[in-house]
Amino acid sequence: QVQLVESGGGLVQPGGSLRLSCAASGFTLDYWTIGWFRQAPGKEREGVSYISSSDGSTYYADSVKGRFTISRDNAKNTVYLQMNSLKPEDTAVYYCGRATTYYPLSEGEYDYWGQGTQVTVSS
């Protein structure tokens, strides 16, 4: 049974850091591209980052470029999202998903999702 479980969210002050984890089970993570999305209240879900299974290349949305870093630990079957210099506009529920393509362009190219983890950036 394919399962993705996010963890690591919480409340942090502006300028702070968090590391999100996406633990995979039921499949071998290094064969799949894994992405992070987020959804803020009243807004559509937006893509944040992904790491490709093809060549390990990464993608970042312009809004997080230079602040967020995605990585994977195949031995632990886990993908991480290191988030630094957090801003109030980063507040959202963060989801990880498994993509069916190497370089996904849209949410429709994902077949499994985790339940999400809340990130709140506030003083």
Side-chain angles (χ1 to χ4, degrees):
Q1 181 181 355
V2 172
Q3 195 171 14
L4 297 166
V5 179
E6 302 96 335
S7 62
L11 173 64
V12 64
Q13 292 186 342
S17 299
L18 284 174
R19 188 178 78 158
L20 305 184
S21 299
C22 173
S25 60
F27 69 100
T28 303
L29 185 141
D30 54 343
Y31 295 150
W32 297 84
T33 292
I34 302 296
W36 285 95
F37 282 69
R38 66 186 181 185
Q39 188 166 21
K43 294 188 177 180
E44 293 186 355
R45 189 151 61 176
E46 63 168 340
V48 174
S49 179
Y50 69 71
I51 184 164
S52 175
S53 60
S54 176
D55 55 6
S57 60
T58 56
Y59 158 84
Y60 298 96
D62 287 343
S63 57
V64 307
K65 204 171 292 183
R67 300 188 298 123
F68 290 11
T69 303
I70 191 170
S71 62
R72 66 199 306 157
D73 185 334
N74 291 334
K76 294 183 178 180
N77 228 32
T78 299
V79 169
Y80 302 98
L81 186 68
Q82 178 68 43
M83 306 187 298
N84 299 329
S85 302
L86 283 162
K87 305 175 181 179
E89 51 263 44
D90 294 319
T91 295
V93 178
Y94 283 71
Y95 301 88
C96 64
R98 189 182 79 168
T100 57
T101 57
Y102 287 135
Y103 310 107
L105 298 177
S106 71
E107 193 174 340
E109 295 175 69
Y110 289 77
D111 60 354
Y112 285 94
W113 296 93
Q115 81 291 346
T117 185
Q118 176 71 47
V119 171
T120 302
V121 185
S122 175
S123 56

